[in-house]
Amino acid sequence: MANTMTMTDNRTGKSWEFPILSGTKGPDVVDIGSFYSQTGMFTFDQGYTSTASCKSAITFIDGEKGELMHRGYDIAWLAENKKFLDVVYLLLYKKLPSKEELESFRLELKQRSYINEKMLKLFDALPDKAHPMAALQSTVAMMSAYYKRDMNIDDISDFMELAKRLVAKIPTIIAFYYRHVRGFPQIYPDLDRGFVENFLYMLRAFPHDRVDLKPIEVKAFEAVLLLHADHEQNASTSTVRAVGSTHAHPYASISAGIGALWGHAHGGANEGVIRQLEEIGTPERVDEFIARAKDKNDPFRLMGFGHRVYKNFDPRAKVLGKLRDQLIDEIGIDTNLIKVAKRIEEIALNDEYFVSRKLYPNVDFNSGLILKALGIPNEMFAAIFVMGRVPGWLSQWMEQKENAPVKITRPRQLYVGAVDQAK
Ligand code: CMC
């Protein structure tokens, strides 16, 4: 018997059959593509909590078990055994690179790590203290005008050129903007130091001066990027796919993804975590804020807690938790901040409100503390999330294209507004 689900309208007794599809892992899905044409009704799923929007072979998450895999490789294994660039390669080329492939990939990125410096004029047009995400989102959108040779979006091999360009240039844009805001002399990228180390070097270096990075600093930053590389159909990835489905240019899609990531419910959360820890200030004030988080009449939320998908633990937070403690031991951080963070963790992990709602520390709880310990200013955190996530967005964009014909993303609605006003 075919795998189907029967749905019955209890008002009329009429029934319809819908196919059930199975993936290689995870819940089956009911294919409701013909739902409207068969029943004359739409389905309603605000926030898409029960909706699979596409087929994908990139990332698998089991939120109940706290499992995350990229192309079949467990995230904890990748974090322990591979570098960020290996994972970028894995996402884009669908396999882990050999030593030679990784080296030639690094060289390709090195050649593309400079930017057309006319684009820097945009920074002058921004008001003082403009958020780095405003600078990054506009610069990436502007890249579609500067790198026109990549405009054949129907050619997947052209797309790879564009993908390398974005992975290589985004760290340069972020570091240049950081230095521009502070009036520091610009430091050009040097990928011979390694892709990850180069970014910290670009933030810290001064001409004719040495930059000594501790191995634990590079290791912790590498882990932050690697653990953010992809996360299946989250809000920003769905945005990249939605914009891509209109056949807009990939630079426009990625720029839109940056906009979606900016919000504090998504990539802006790690910035919010530190702001909140600073606002709490001392471990003695934690109880007061926990009470606010639990108060139904207070919109306050504990930043860095909870996740739409993970209802057991966030495997990325687990990896980063260990590195956070190692980093803090080795280099030191504002101890009050870490005391506040540990007190929040301790209370929330044992409090009925958080336990019953399955609210655990998410990746941003620890990534914020790591970035803070690395001396990176709060307002840069979301831009660094972009640096980590861009390979994921690019691989998802490419997969959507490969699964052509691409259907434009166009949900419907339940209309609840006024009717027949003019009659
Ligand atoms: N503090 C206090 N209560 C919370 C929190 C929190 N951080 N998160 C969820 N809740 C409560 C919420 O009030 C609701 O309670 P009730 O059932 O009594 O109404 C219940 O838990 C379920 O919350 P929800 O908003 O329906 O859950 P969601 O899946 O729609 O939201 C979330 C997920 C991540 C947006 C939310 O947990 C949140 O706002 N967390 C804080 C922001 C944050 O850390 N975001 C980073 C997410 S991880 C990085 C990423 O993927 O971008």
Side-chain angles (χ1 to χ4, degrees):
M1 203 172 83
N3 291 335
T4 57
M5 178 177 273
T6 307
M7 291 195 203
T8 305
D9 183 339
N10 289 334
R11 299 167 304 179
T12 59
K14 218 170 157 195
S15 290
W16 302 273
E17 300 255 304
F18 296 96
I20 294 177
L21 310 179
S22 298
T24 45
K25 207 167 155 63
D28 291 339
V29 302
V30 183
D31 180 352
I32 53 161
S34 65
F35 194 86
Y36 176 63
S37 63
Q38 287 200 58
T39 69
M41 289 184 275
F42 300 133
T43 56
F44 183 68
D45 180 15
Q46 205 164 0
Y48 307 128
T49 55
S50 299
T51 298
S53 60
C54 60
K55 287 184 186 171
S56 182
I58 302 173
T59 291
F60 173 80
I61 303 174
D62 184 331
E64 301 301 324
K65 292 191 190 145
E67 202 173 272
L68 167 63
M69 284 187 235
H70 297 316
R71 303 212 184 269
Y73 293 96
D74 179 65
I75 194 68
W77 183 86
L78 287 170
E80 184 67 33
N81 297 289
K82 296 289 164 191
K83 298 279 184 64
F84 174 60
L85 271 200
D86 289 290
V87 174
V88 176
Y89 192 98
L90 174 68
L91 291 170
L92 293 176
Y93 292 95
K94 306 176 188 173
K95 70 185 243 326
L96 280 169
S98 65
K99 217 170 148 215
E100 294 72 32
E101 285 166 333
L102 188 64
E103 179 52 15
S104 78
F105 187 51
R106 190 189 62 79
L107 288 174
E108 286 183 299
L109 295 178
K110 178 180 166 178
Q111 286 153 8
R112 291 162 179 79
S113 61
Y114 295 87
I115 58 173
N116 184 320
E117 293 192 15
K118 282 189 196 162
M119 292 200 296
L120 298 180
K121 290 197 182 120
L122 174 89
F123 294 173
D124 290 326
L126 289 169
D128 289 348
K129 296 201 180 143
H131 197 282
M133 288 290 268
L136 186 58
Q137 188 177 13
S138 341
T139 312
V140 169
M142 196 164 62
M143 282 172 77
S144 63
Y146 274 88
Y147 300 102
K148 287 204 185 87
R149 274 180 299 140
D150 296 341
M151 290 298 266
N152 183 4
I153 60 169
D154 292 322
D155 186 335
I156 288 285
S157 61
D158 268 15
F159 176 77
M160 269 311 181
E161 170 59 32
L162 174 145
K164 283 180 263 187
R165 203 165 255 174
L166 271 168
V167 170
K169 290 185 198 307
I170 280 181
T172 310
I173 296 167
I174 300 171
F176 271 26
Y177 185 66
Y178 167 87
R179 300 188 73 90
H180 167 89
V181 168
R182 286 160 182 80
F184 294 169
Q186 290 300 357
I187 295 289
Y188 285 93
D190 177 6
L191 265 67
D192 288 341
R193 293 169 183 272
F195 187 85
V196 169
E197 192 163 347
N198 165 62
F199 181 74
L200 294 176
Y201 157 78
M202 286 183 77
L203 294 191
R204 292 193 192 169
F206 278 91
H208 314 298
D209 212 356
R210 278 174 60 84
V211 176
D212 289 318
L213 290 163
K214 294 196 172 75
I216 184 66
E217 294 185 286
V218 179
K219 189 175 170 191
F221 191 61
E222 178 103 43
V224 168
L225 295 182
L226 185 150
L227 292 166
H228 282 92
D230 192 53
H231 213 228
E232 56 121 298
Q233 307 313 317
N234 56 81
S236 55
T237 302
S238 298
T239 302
V240 169
R241 280 191 182 250
V243 177
S245 80
T246 69
H247 303 287
H249 198 275
Y251 288 119
S253 303
I254 300 294
S255 171
I258 294 172
L261 192 86
W262 194 347
H264 66 78
H266 193 7
N270 50 12
E271 182 180 340
V273 168
I274 298 298
R275 230 185 299 114
Q276 201 166 82
L277 294 178
E278 285 170 345
E279 190 193 343
I280 298 173
T282 64
E284 291 71 40
R285 290 192 70 207
V286 168
D287 288 346
E288 180 195 323
F289 283 83
I290 294 273
R292 283 189 64 191
K294 289 160 63 174
D295 182 355
K296 282 263 145 275
N297 300 315
D298 190 333
F300 178 86
R301 282 199 166 192
L302 211 50
M303 296 309 291
F305 272 77
H307 199 276
R308 168 60 63 79
V309 179
Y310 295 118
K311 299 300 174 196
N312 185 338
F313 66 92
D314 181 338
R316 305 166 301 171
K318 218 171 175 178
V319 175
L320 282 187
K322 282 190 205 145
L323 278 169
R324 173 195 80 180
D325 292 342
Q326 215 182 325
L327 178 70
I328 287 160
D329 280 352
E330 288 192 34
I331 67 166
I333 183 181
D334 178 342
T335 48
N336 231 10
L337 210 63
I338 193 71
K339 275 189 208 142
V340 174
K342 288 200 165 167
R343 178 88 186 115
I344 291 178
E345 245 176 352
E346 194 183 295
I347 298 184
L349 290 175
N350 295 297
D351 187 294
E352 195 277 330
Y353 175 93
F354 293 90
V355 174
S356 64
R357 287 169 181 76
K358 301 183 174 176
L359 302 170
Y360 299 90
N362 57 47
V363 67
D364 289 326
F365 190 71
N366 288 325
S367 68
L369 286 161
I370 288 180
L371 297 178
K372 182 80 183 170
L374 290 172
I376 296 172
N378 299 1
E379 72 276 6
M380 300 273 295
F381 292 2
I384 286 166
F385 193 155
V386 170
M387 215 172 123
R389 182 55 57 85
V390 81
W393 289 336
L394 289 162
S395 61
Q396 299 271 352
W397 188 97
M398 188 169 63
E399 181 177 75
Q400 174 167 273
K401 198 82 187 159
E402 283 172 346
N403 292 345
V406 181
K407 219 166 166 54
I408 188 168
T409 301
R410 187 16 175 129
R412 300 302 304 266
Q413 62 174 14
L414 177 65
Y415 180 70
V416 294
V419 291
D420 300 337
Q421 294 266 51
K423 280 188 186 164

